[in-house]
Amino acid sequence: MAALNEEQVMLRDMAREWADNESPIAAFRKLRDAGGGKGYDPEAWSAIGGMGWAGIVIPEEFGGSAFGYLSLGLVLEQLGRNLAATPLASTAVAASAIAMGSSDKARSEWLPRLASGEATATLAIDEGPGHDMKIAATVSGGKLSGTKKFVAEGDGADVFVVAAADGLYLVPKGEGVTVASRRMADSRSHAEVTFSDAPAEKLGDKALTQAVADRAAAVTAAEMLGMAESAFGQTLDYLKQRVQFGQVLSTFQALQHRMAKMLTELELMRSAVEGALEAIDAGRSDVDQAVSLAKAVANDTLRLVSREMVQLHGGVGMTDEFDAGLFLKRAAVLEAMWGNASYHRDRFGRLNGY
Amino acid sequence: MATAADLDRPADSLDDFRKEARAWLEANFDPALKGHDNAMSAVDGPTAETPAQKKWREAMGDKGWGVPTWPTEYGGGGLSRAEARVLQEEMARIGAWNPIGGMGVMMFGPTLLEYGSEEQKQAHIPGIVRGEVRWCQGYSEPGAGSDLASLQTFAEDKGDHYLVNGQKTWTSGGQWADKCFALVRTDKSQKHAGISFLLIDMESEGVETRPIRLISGASPFCETFFTNVKVPKGNLVGREGQGWEIGTRLLQHERNSLSGGSGSAARMNAGNTVPEIAKKYRGTDAEGRLADADLRTRIIRHEMDQRAFALTLRRAALEAKGNAGPSAATSVMKNVGARITQDRAELNVEIMGMQGLGWEGEGFSREELEQTRTWLWGKAVSIYGGSSEIQNNVIAKRILGMLDHQ
Ligand SMILES: Cc1cc2nc3c(=O)[nH]c(=O)nc-3n(C[C@H](O)[C@H](O)[C@H](O)COP(=O)(O)OP(=O)(O)OC[C@H]3O[C@@H](n4cnc5c(N)ncnc54)[C@H](O)[C@@H]3O)c2cc1C
């Protein structure tokens, strides 16, 4: 566990309590079964806005708290534990792109509204089914054109932070923007967003695009950490109570060692994820490496734990009624988002000169 | 070294058979049906049959070639294993698929042929051969999964019939099945020796099924409740108390067919291998190699795994010459088969990225949507038919002679 200050401990405990009581997995299930819409519960989102979480990485002068990425990660981890469907990650990272960017106009126009949760934002960077930073979208005369695939929380977003070949832009929903929903296995909001001559405000160059993608990967890893922790916890609880052959399953050594291995991997995952968030907060020069390490380890570990969750629950794990499938499906989507393990391993190698 | 074709017949007579099979298939298999097999029908439930599909099923049913090695007196094909393999090759050559399948073919038929009475074989085998009767497996109960012998469903002796009460669960296809082969308790005082193998008509009064939805979205399996269900004594297979022996024999057949010996894995992969999918979705470098080195290595490992497995299945078939049924080594095969099936699906999902995780609607091809469901459904292959952990226990104890700790 990172060394948290008093405020961070309070924030974490509060987020945990809120997620457990106000946004349990059952709430996500209800949302899923209802289908359609923006992909989140507006009431839950306004509660999140009220608690100030949307402003955690927004400077105080624009209504945020500037608590930083480790704090944002703590909150997302707690939400991840309960598979809470909220646009917090996308809104926060998009807001931080605006904050880091060069447009005063964008800052004063959008940041206060994003900090309060009144508006939501998202990143529109990838143009294919994977994350590879190959970007074709173009801007000419202040108008952006291009198609972005699998934009998370794209259905409800009020404003998009969009990557073009020469850098990052801000494009509000409206003129020149078409949003088409994509129904995916995790039952969350993903949209294909087409920009045709959409009015765009420049935020920064390609370096900013990469910095923002790294932040997105880091907070995704934080959500994954929470998911892995709770998938592991639920599996452990089940093994301690399910009886076969006259014994609880947890007495079988073959299963004990698998749980022990998962716990070990989880420890490494936590350090890698918190390490990336801290590197961002400290403004260190090796954020890129820290993020690739975190996302690669997070991908591998959540994959292990979510697959084992199904397997170790046996037939129950295969039923929709039980939560293992929800973890499995969300895990696979998050794995593919912002770089899968092979992308980040390769990048890590290149950054280190091998 | 012997090759598979030498198994039980000299080569020239196989050539004759090949000609016969080719001619018959050409006369009976409508090429328009090529690729129209629904690989997921076993999982998602029966799909409506077109007239051409029905005709094909009936032709294969009449000929007995859906179950090529079963005896002709009950409608089977009566072919040697070598001939059956030739038939399979000839079918693959023209893209023909076997319209006869399901649990009746994979598990129940072979078991009844071995343990059933003459009347029982006459009564039940022809319906399976012709693909007209669907069977389901009534083994698992809420408290009896891996520990199957702790099952509680009770069949009380009422003279000319049994009165069955209890609950089964995870009954695949229960809502569509005509009949159920079930393990029931006829004696409460003994764990294994108190179990009997009983055939239950799903239409009987007191049988109720309740579908359970799977993580892949389909609802192919059920909770099945038996309340005062009358089952004629003639539906007992073997002796009272012999159920454990018969039931585990059936499980060997199940494992054997799940190990990949059956055609489904090959069919799903036809013209659609992992490297081909990767080239299509991820592209190649200047030398035509898969661009992503890490992925490339893992795909190569998977392909080699699959080849080694195919060679092992083939070797096992040769070594089993003269020894009819499946052996304890089926546990090894089932685990490898499960691993390979799951690795393949994981790789495909990874290769396709977000495009391989679609659920429904716009933006995904039919293959992509099927891939998502196949991936999720595939998580069950290491659970059903005896989980991988249980197979490992069988390997450790039965093959290696390793003991439980005291
Ligand atoms: C898709 C699907 C279809 C099915 N179809 C049918 C069907 O048609 N008919 C039918 O009767 N049943 C069916 N089953 C049930 C299946 O056979 C059982 O799910 C399986 O035997 C496991 O039992 P369980 O679910 O009770 O898990 P449990 O026995 O509770 O096992 C939970 C976990 O503990 C592990 N475990 C258990 N015992 C040990 C041990 N001694 N050592 C180490 N690990 C252990 C298991 O491997 C598993 O990982 C189906 C299951 C699935 C998922």
Side-chain angles (χ1 to χ4, degrees):
Chain A
M1 182 86 50
L4 302 180
N5 62 33
E6 216 172 294
E7 277 169 334
Q8 287 169 326
V9 170
M10 272 174 58
L11 180 66
R12 181 197 60 197
D13 294 348
M14 181 182 161
R16 185 163 190 144
E17 206 182 303
W18 183 82
D20 285 353
N21 296 327
E22 307 300 325
S23 187
I25 297 176
F28 167 61
R29 214 174 251 288
K30 226 171 112 190
L31 196 70
R32 177 195 76 160
D33 294 343
K38 293 178 167 182
Y40 61 86
D41 172 6
E43 256 176 59
W45 176 244
S46 85
I48 285 176
M51 291 181 289
W53 298 345
I56 288 179
V57 291
I58 294 177
E60 284 168 272
E61 55 185 306
F62 298 107
S65 61
F67 273 1
Y69 270 84
L70 182 60
S71 300
L72 176 61
L74 291 172
V75 173
L76 287 169
E77 181 189 330
Q78 304 316 313
L79 298 180
R81 283 179 59 250
N82 291 336
L83 298 173
T86 81
L88 178 61
S90 70
T91 299
V93 178
S96 128
I98 297 169
M100 287 189 286
S102 55
S103 165
D104 286 333
K105 180 168 167 273
R107 266 194 285 273
S108 55
E109 197 176 330
W110 285 101
L111 290 182
R113 297 179 59 202
L114 295 175
S116 67
E118 182 197 328
T120 68
T122 192
L123 303 176
I125 294 181
D126 290 325
E127 298 179 359
H131 172 72
D132 56 13
M133 295 302 273
K134 287 185 190 128
I135 289 153
T138 53
V139 177
S140 79
K143 306 269 173 139
L144 190 144
S145 291
T147 297
K148 298 293 176 178
K149 293 272 181 73
F150 305 106
V151 173
E153 313 300 340
D155 292 292
D158 299 298
V159 63
F160 298 90
V161 168
V162 189
D166 67 334
L168 211 53
Y169 290 82
L170 190 76
V171 181
K173 188 169 86 181
E175 193 191 332
V177 180
T178 318
V179 177
S181 291
R182 291 289 176 259
R183 298 283 318 275
M184 295 194 58
D186 66 345
S187 304
R188 292 283 298 269
S189 163
H190 302 274
E192 182 169 313
V193 185
T194 307
F195 301 93
S196 12
D197 286 331
E201 170 100 12
K202 185 143 192 176
L203 298 176
D205 59 11
K206 278 157 68 176
L208 181 63
T209 310
Q210 183 60 63
V212 168
D214 277 339
R215 280 156 179 75
V219 299
T220 301
E223 178 181 344
M224 294 170 89
L225 176 62
M227 286 173 61
E229 293 269 354
S230 82
F232 176 81
Q234 281 196 51
T235 307
L236 183 60
D237 289 346
Y238 187 73
L239 294 182
K240 286 179 176 170
Q241 79 165 49
R242 169 76 172 164
V243 174
Q244 290 284 278
F245 305 101
Q247 298 180 54
V248 283
L249 292 177
S250 62
T251 59
F252 296 125
Q253 201 173 55
L255 304 184
Q256 292 172 346
H257 285 188
R258 274 159 63 180
M259 295 305 288
K261 162 151 172 78
M262 280 189 263
L263 179 74
T264 309
E265 300 301 325
L266 274 168
E267 290 298 329
L268 300 180
M269 179 183 185
R270 173 171 293 285
S271 317
V273 172
E274 289 178 349
L277 296 166
E278 284 175 319
I280 295 170
D281 286 337
R284 283 210 322 252
S285 61
D286 63 347
V287 164
D288 44 10
Q289 273 195 45
V291 167
S292 277
L293 171 72
K295 186 64 173 29
V297 171
N299 282 355
D300 286 347
T301 305
L302 181 58
R303 179 187 287 212
L304 172 74
V305 176
S306 59
R307 279 25 166 212
E308 288 281 51
M309 183 184 194
V310 175
Q311 178 67 22
L312 295 179
H313 280 82
V316 173
M318 285 298 295
T319 63
D320 183 70
E321 246 168 274
F322 187 69
D323 294 334
L326 303 179
F327 280 90
L328 183 71
K329 292 180 236 189
R330 180 68 176 158
V333 168
L334 293 182
E335 247 187 72
M337 262 166 69
W338 308 118
N340 62 16
S342 55
Y343 172 85
H344 283 290
R345 279 195 290 260
D346 182 65
R347 179 170 179 245
F348 184 86
R350 276 187 285 110
L351 289 169
N352 281 290
Y354 45 82
Chain B
M1 203 189 91
T3 66
D6 304 332
L7 272 179
D8 10 43
R9 284 222 185 184
D12 53 347
S13 79
L14 274 183
D15 279 349
D16 290 345
F17 177 74
R18 189 179 295 277
K19 282 196 202 111
E20 179 197 333
R22 194 171 287 192
W24 188 87
L25 288 169
E26 260 153 34
N28 289 281
F29 181 72
D30 178 353
L33 286 177
K34 207 171 144 172
H36 282 238
D37 184 15
N38 176 6
M40 300 301 275
S41 69
V43 183
D44 284 347
T47 43
E49 241 179 356
T50 64
Q53 282 168 335
K54 182 163 184 277
K55 206 172 147 217
W56 170 232
R57 179 173 56 77
E58 287 171 350
M60 280 289 268
D62 289 341
K63 190 81 179 163
W65 278 2
V67 286
T69 59
W70 293 12
T72 48
E73 60 259 49
Y74 310 112
L79 303 184
S80 68
R81 280 193 288 147
E83 287 169 333
R85 203 165 296 113
V86 168
L87 175 63
Q88 207 173 15
E89 285 163 14
E90 287 305 312
M91 286 176 53
R93 200 179 57 86
I94 60 167
W97 37 273
N98 190 345
I100 314 278
M103 292 190 180
V105 171
M106 277 170 18
M107 319 169 189
F108 175 60
T111 311
L112 195 72
L113 285 171
E114 195 175 338
Y115 287 96
S117 67
E118 188 54 35
E119 284 107 305
Q120 287 169 338
K121 292 183 209 173
Q122 296 281 4
H124 301 301
I125 301 290
I128 299 172
V129 169
R130 301 182 51 81
E132 285 166 0
V133 180
R134 275 183 172 252
W135 287 84
C136 67
Q137 177 182 37
Y139 276 29
S140 304
E141 298 183 6
S146 298
D147 181 17
L148 186 57
S150 64
L151 60 92
Q152 299 299 327
T153 296
F154 190 63
E156 191 187 349
D157 191 337
K158 290 285 187 183
D160 65 333
H161 67 271
Y162 292 104
L163 201 63
V164 179
N165 279 286
Q167 183 195 345
K168 294 289 175 183
T169 191
W170 320 138
T171 331
S172 295
Q175 69 270 55
W176 305 300
D178 306 296
K179 315 246 177 186
C180 175
F181 52 91
L183 289 178
V184 296
R185 187 158 290 293
T186 41
D187 178 351
K188 290 182 180 168
S189 67
Q190 313 181 67
K191 191 171 178 182
H192 292 83
I195 294 172
S196 298
F197 194 98
L198 200 60
L199 310 181
I200 302 176
D201 198 319
M202 294 295 279
E203 297 288 300
S204 318
E205 200 174 318
V207 179
E208 192 200 331
T209 58
R210 206 177 292 159
I212 303 171
R213 188 200 289 271
L214 281 174
I215 60 176
S216 56
S219 304
F221 71 179
C222 293
E223 295 179 284
T224 303
F225 300 87
F226 300 105
T227 315
N228 292 327
V229 178
K230 275 183 160 180
V231 181
K233 276 277 176 69
N235 284 14
L236 177 74
V237 178
R239 287 175 281 103
E240 238 184 47
Q242 202 188 355
W244 186 250
E245 177 193 333
I246 302 172
T248 49
R249 183 66 173 165
L250 182 139
L251 280 179
Q252 285 195 337
H253 287 292
E254 175 174 11
R255 280 159 202 179
N256 203 38
S257 60
L258 294 177
S259 69
S262 70
S264 69
R267 174 180 55 202
M268 309 261 288
N269 241 6
N272 213 5
T273 64
V274 179
E276 281 161 11
I277 295 173
K279 284 184 177 174
K280 182 171 153 205
Y281 280 83
R282 294 291 196 91
T284 49
D285 65 14
E287 287 161 79
R289 287 190 300 230
L290 285 171
D292 180 333
D294 178 85
L295 183 64
R296 181 169 182 271
T297 310
R298 285 183 292 127
I299 290 175
I300 293 168
R301 201 181 293 159
H302 168 72
E303 289 293 305
M304 293 178 105
D305 221 16
Q306 199 164 317
R307 298 250 183 126
F309 181 46
L311 289 168
T312 309
L313 284 174
R314 196 179 161 80
R315 182 166 64 84
L318 284 169
E319 287 176 0
K321 192 175 168 179
N323 155 17
S327 70
T330 49
S331 287
V332 175
M333 302 299 190
K334 198 225 161 195
N335 275 3
V336 185
R339 183 180 87 210
I340 288 178
T341 301
Q342 292 177 345
D343 283 354
R344 180 172 54 233
E346 288 283 358
L347 279 168
N348 284 342
V349 164
E350 184 178 334
I351 289 162
M352 294 180 181
M354 300 293 262
Q355 207 66 45
L357 287 164
W359 192 248
E360 59 191 17
E362 303 264 297
F364 305 98
S365 69
R366 190 177 62 88
E367 288 77 19
E368 286 164 352
L369 292 176
E370 230 169 63
Q371 177 55 47
T372 310
R373 311 280 172 144
T374 302
W375 166 67
L376 289 166
W377 161 257
K379 293 299 166 209
V381 299
S382 52
I383 297 171
Y384 61 54
S387 67
S388 296
E389 291 76 18
I390 293 304
Q391 310 296 344
N392 281 338
N393 286 346
V394 170
I395 293 167
K397 286 173 196 165
R398 298 248 302 278
I399 303 181
L400 301 176
M402 298 168 90
L403 303 176
D404 273 335
H405 72 91
Q406 299 304 308

